[in-house]
């Protein structure tokens, strides 16, 4: 997805210490992979919000933040780890990039969730954490 490509690419290069060709491979692989996993992530996020976090559009900002950050971390950490490793990164680079990625998800998770919910609204789909859900 366009939202995370530049952010995570910078993370992989500067924090993870990955070579530029590894970053390009990871970004290309993630771009292709997200075409297939974005909808399952949306369904997972819905379930996570309702069943695990008991959150909806009328929840506090803190609860929405926590819901989006934890949903992203739980769902994407294994996917992200596999993509980084498959790009040829060492275990050390993978660990550093994953740690940096989780820190970035903490900073951007709610923004990403807001973008997802706005996208849903544009297509007439009920948002998970924006008002009206």
């Amino acid at each position: 997805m366009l939202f995370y490509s530049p952010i995570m690419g910078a993370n992989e290069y500067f924090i993870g210490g990955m070579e530029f060709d590894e970053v390009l491979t990871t970004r290309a692989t993630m771009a292709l992979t997200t075409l297939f996993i974005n909808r399952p992530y949306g369904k997972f996020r819905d379930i996570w919000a309702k069943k695990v976090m008991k959150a909806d559009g009328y929840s506090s900002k803190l609860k929405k933040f926590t819901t989006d950050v934890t949903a992203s971390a739980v769902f994407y950490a294994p996917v992200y780890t596999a993509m980084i490793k498959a790009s040829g990164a060492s275990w050390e680079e993978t660990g550093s990039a994953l740690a940096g990625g989780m820190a970035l998800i903490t900073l951007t998770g709610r923004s990403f969730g807001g973008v997802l919910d706005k996208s849903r609204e544009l297509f007439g789909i009920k948002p998970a954490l924006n008002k009206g859900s």
Side-chain angles (χ1 to χ4, degrees):
M1 175 162 206
L2 294 175
F3 185 91
Y4 273 121
S5 285
I7 296 167
M8 292 304 189
N11 169 61
E12 292 155 11
Y13 188 77
F14 294 110
I15 305 297
M18 295 168 59
E19 298 295 324
F20 189 69
D21 63 318
E22 294 171 333
V23 173
L24 287 178
T25 301
T26 301
R27 294 294 92 223
T29 305
M30 284 301 290
L32 182 60
T33 302
T34 58
L35 292 174
F36 299 100
I37 66 170
N38 275 351
R39 185 62 189 133
Y41 173 70
K43 289 181 179 278
F44 171 80
R45 181 174 170 254
D46 286 347
I47 293 166
W48 188 263
K50 289 177 185 153
K51 306 263 185 205
V52 177
M53 300 299 293
K54 312 261 189 279
D56 63 18
Y58 299 97
S59 295
S60 70
K61 288 181 181 184
L62 179 60
K63 187 160 215 163
K64 291 178 185 181
F65 169 82
T66 304
T67 300
D68 275 326
V69 168
T70 57
S72 290
V74 167
F75 188 89
Y76 281 111
V79 174
Y80 188 52
T81 301
M83 294 303 110
I84 294 169
K85 195 64 188 138
S87 76
S90 69
W91 281 111
E92 183 179 346
E93 291 169 330
T94 301
S96 296
L98 181 61
M102 292 303 102
L104 289 168
I105 282 176
T106 301
L107 295 173
T108 61
R110 181 61 195 133
S111 297
F112 180 58
V115 168
L116 291 177
D117 280 344
K118 285 292 182 193
S119 298
R120 287 174 153 203
E121 290 171 359
L122 286 172
F123 290 98
I125 301 168
K126 185 176 170 184
L129 295 176
N130 285 0
K131 293 237 192 286
S133 59

